[in-house]
Amino acid sequence: MEAIRRYKDRILGFLSNDIGIDLGTANTLVYVKGRGIVINEPSIVAMNQKTGAVVAVGAQAKEMLGRTPAHIVAVQPVVDGVISDFEVTSEMLTYLIGKAQAGHAKLLGPRVVIGVPSGVTSVEVRAVRDAARAAGAREVHIIEEPMAAAIGIELPVHEPLGSMVVDIGGGTTDIGVISLGGLVNARNVRIAGDRFNTDIVSHVRNEFKMLIGEKSAEETKIAIASIAIGRLPLETLVRGRDLVTGLPHEMRITDQDIRNAIGHSIEELVEAVKDVLETTPPEIISDVMQRGIYLAGGGALIRGIPEFLTSALGVPVIVAPDPLTAVVRGTSIVLNDLDAYRDALLKSDDELVPTE
């Protein structure tokens, strides 16, 4: 039976593409089997409200943020890690899957593995599955992002050994404890990159009486955000509108300003990790203390965050290699051996899962 299954998979491999997708709030990454990560674009769609047509998707749509006429709106179809607009998400996935297969299209629709935040409801899982099927997928599998990240980092997820992953994404942070191929404990909190951007906008408005956009706040965060105080202060130029005069204004802000802005959210994130640790079995806590907590996602790149978490939690915190792509690399590994990771996949009520 095993030989027959492998032969069947090989034949289907010639007829269709296997695609892994990290469906993120900020960015969507797409992996194609045999070609690697082929797309890394913002999860944004620009829509023409008069005609209902899609004007741009991904990087092109992000360039339009805050720069469009009234009838063109840039939409984030994935909010806090879940689909908020089914039709727009379907359009985005159709575009991304089509772009990923450009010049490599095959007879059958692709087999797709999609990473979603932990703790999603069955309704949200079905929305993701239906959107992927509407985009042309032949077979859709859903995996929770902490598990996908752990697989992508190549942690020993199948062994009776506790591993802990904190995936700080754009809309949510996923905290997961993994052992024996499943999530032992998990929590999803809405404290992540978008929250940090909002904090920076609010801080600049309150402290300097200047209004900046969220895109500017994100660029500032990437440029100078630091949790630790360095020897040399980091600074960057920000431009916006002076709230007193109403005129354009620019000023320099430092990493200390960013620390002041996002400090409260970082403290909340630490408390969320502590809550997960407090409800984790002691044997697994022992494993985590020995092996450390792994950081994934864009938030892991904030300067000083592993050292800060190590100090606050009393557990070594390690930034995963290439943390931005950990989840999509995990989906690629799952695609290569679906049977080995069958227990890690989420199952919907209407899905019949093969047992062989």
Side-chain angles (χ1 to χ4, degrees), residues 126 129-130 133 347-352:
R126 185 168 296 187
R129 196 183 302 275
D130 289 348
R133 283 179 177 153
K347 302 170 183 64
S348 66
D349 296 336
D350 61 343
E351 183 184 28
L352 295 175

Side-chain angles (χ1 to χ4, degrees), residues 274 277 289 293 308-317:
K274 285 181 179 177
L277 287 170
M289 288 185 69
I293 298 170
F308 180 81
L309 290 174
T310 298
S311 174
L313 301 170
V315 178
V317 176

Side-chain angles (χ1 to χ4, degrees), residues 106-140:
K106 299 191 180 182
L107 287 175
L108 299 177
R111 185 172 60 170
V112 178
V113 174
I114 301 179
V116 298
S118 61
V120 292
T121 65
S122 58
V123 173
E124 291 163 348
V125 169
R126 185 168 296 187
V128 174
R129 196 183 302 275
D130 289 348
R133 283 179 177 153
R138 166 176 59 91
E139 190 178 318
V140 184

Side-chain angles (χ1 to χ4, degrees), residues 15-42:
L15 298 176
S16 72
N17 286 310
D18 284 349
I19 294 176
I21 300 175
D22 174 9
L23 188 62
T25 302
N27 292 286
T28 296
L29 287 82
V30 180
Y31 161 91
V32 177
K33 190 172 182 180
R35 291 167 55 207
I37 298 169
V38 296
I39 294 174
N40 181 355
E41 294 204 27

Side-chain angles (χ1 to χ4, degrees), residues 1-138:
M1 290 298 290
E2 180 68 16
I4 293 172
R5 183 191 62 78
R6 291 189 180 278
Y7 179 74
K8 178 183 174 184
D9 286 346
R10 182 180 296 179
I11 294 298
L12 289 174
F14 285 120
L15 298 176
S16 72
N17 286 310
D18 284 349
I19 294 176
I21 300 175
D22 174 9
L23 188 62
T25 302
N27 292 286
T28 296
L29 287 82
V30 180
Y31 161 91
V32 177
K33 190 172 182 180
R35 291 167 55 207
I37 298 169
V38 296
I39 294 174
N40 181 355
E41 294 204 27
S43 304
I44 300 174
V45 180
M47 302 284 294
N48 186 325
Q49 290 190 313
K50 289 181 179 178
T51 63
V54 174
V55 177
V57 178
Q60 284 185 315
K62 187 172 185 178
E63 288 299 318
M64 297 179 183
L65 275 176
R67 298 187 176 101
T68 60
H71 67 282
I72 295 178
V73 180
V75 180
Q76 274 190 294
V78 181
V79 177
D80 294 332
V82 296
I83 290 176
S84 62
D85 191 317
F86 177 82
E87 290 184 4
V88 177
T89 303
S90 181
E91 291 278 3
M92 183 177 76
L93 287 175
T94 301
Y95 165 83
L96 293 172
I97 290 173
K99 185 176 179 180
Q101 296 186 103
H104 299 81
K106 299 191 180 182
L107 287 175
L108 299 177
R111 185 172 60 170
V112 178
V113 174
I114 301 179
V116 298
S118 61
V120 292
T121 65
S122 58
V123 173
E124 291 163 348
V125 169
R126 185 168 296 187
V128 174
R129 196 183 302 275
D130 289 348
R133 283 179 177 153
R138 166 176 59 91

Side-chain angles (χ1 to χ4, degrees), residues 10-346:
R10 182 180 296 179
I11 294 298
L12 289 174
F14 285 120
L15 298 176
S16 72
N17 286 310
D18 284 349
I19 294 176
I21 300 175
D22 174 9
L23 188 62
T25 302
N27 292 286
T28 296
L29 287 82
V30 180
Y31 161 91
V32 177
K33 190 172 182 180
R35 291 167 55 207
I37 298 169
V38 296
I39 294 174
N40 181 355
E41 294 204 27
S43 304
I44 300 174
V45 180
M47 302 284 294
N48 186 325
Q49 290 190 313
K50 289 181 179 178
T51 63
V54 174
V55 177
V57 178
Q60 284 185 315
K62 187 172 185 178
E63 288 299 318
M64 297 179 183
L65 275 176
R67 298 187 176 101
T68 60
H71 67 282
I72 295 178
V73 180
V75 180
Q76 274 190 294
V78 181
V79 177
D80 294 332
V82 296
I83 290 176
S84 62
D85 191 317
F86 177 82
E87 290 184 4
V88 177
T89 303
S90 181
E91 291 278 3
M92 183 177 76
L93 287 175
T94 301
Y95 165 83
L96 293 172
I97 290 173
K99 185 176 179 180
Q101 296 186 103
H104 299 81
K106 299 191 180 182
L107 287 175
L108 299 177
R111 185 172 60 170
V112 178
V113 174
I114 301 179
V116 298
S118 61
V120 292
T121 65
S122 58
V123 173
E124 291 163 348
V125 169
R126 185 168 296 187
V128 174
R129 196 183 302 275
D130 289 348
R133 283 179 177 153
R138 166 176 59 91
E139 190 178 318
V140 184
H141 302 280
I142 309 293
I143 186 169
E144 290 174 296
E145 286 176 358
M147 175 61 74
I151 295 168
I153 299 167
E154 298 183 357
L155 298 179
V157 296
H158 287 307
E159 296 178 19
L161 192 65
S163 301
M164 187 168 184
V165 174
V166 178
D167 179 14
I168 308 172
T172 62
T173 292
D174 276 297
I175 307 160
V177 179
I178 298 111
S179 180
L180 283 173
L183 282 172
V184 176
N185 197 2
R187 188 175 174 193
N188 176 266
V189 292
R190 294 179 178 180
I191 305 165
D194 288 351
R195 170 80 169 268
F196 300 152
N197 296 345
T198 304
D199 290 342
I200 292 168
V201 171
S202 299
H203 182 79
V204 171
R205 183 179 63 240
N206 296 334
E207 292 296 318
F208 306 113
K209 301 297 182 283
M210 188 171 82
L211 184 64
I212 63 172
E214 289 208 9
K215 187 179 176 184
S216 297
E218 183 177 17
E219 290 169 354
T220 302
K221 176 187 70 181
I222 293 169
I224 64 171
S226 175
I227 301 302
I229 299 174
R231 293 181 182 177
L232 295 174
L234 302 171
E235 60 178 35
T236 190
L237 195 66
V238 293
R239 298 178 179 89
R241 186 173 75 240
D242 190 309
L243 292 173
V244 177
T245 65
L247 298 175
H249 182 61
E250 68 177 23
M251 64 172 294
R252 290 193 175 276
I253 66 172
T254 67
D255 56 328
Q256 182 61 52
D257 296 317
I258 304 302
R259 271 194 295 279
N260 293 339
I262 69 175
H264 182 67
S265 294
I266 294 291
E267 291 289 347
E268 286 186 43
L269 182 58
V270 170
E271 290 302 316
V273 177
K274 285 181 179 177
D275 288 345
V276 173
L277 287 170
E278 287 172 1
T279 54
T280 298
E283 292 298 332
I284 291 180
I285 290 290
S286 173
D287 294 337
V288 171
M289 288 185 69
Q290 291 179 31
R291 304 179 61 245
I293 298 170
Y294 288 83
L295 288 185
L301 298 175
I302 294 176
R303 299 166 187 84
I305 199 164
E307 294 83 2
F308 180 81
L309 290 174
T310 298
S311 174
L313 301 170
V315 178
V317 176
I318 305 139
V319 177
D322 196 5
L324 285 167
T325 64
V327 171
V328 78
R329 280 184 288 142
T331 65
S332 73
I333 293 169
V334 171
L335 277 169
N336 288 329
D337 195 349
L338 272 171
D339 282 350
Y341 294 98
R342 187 71 66 180
D343 290 341
L345 301 173
L346 293 178

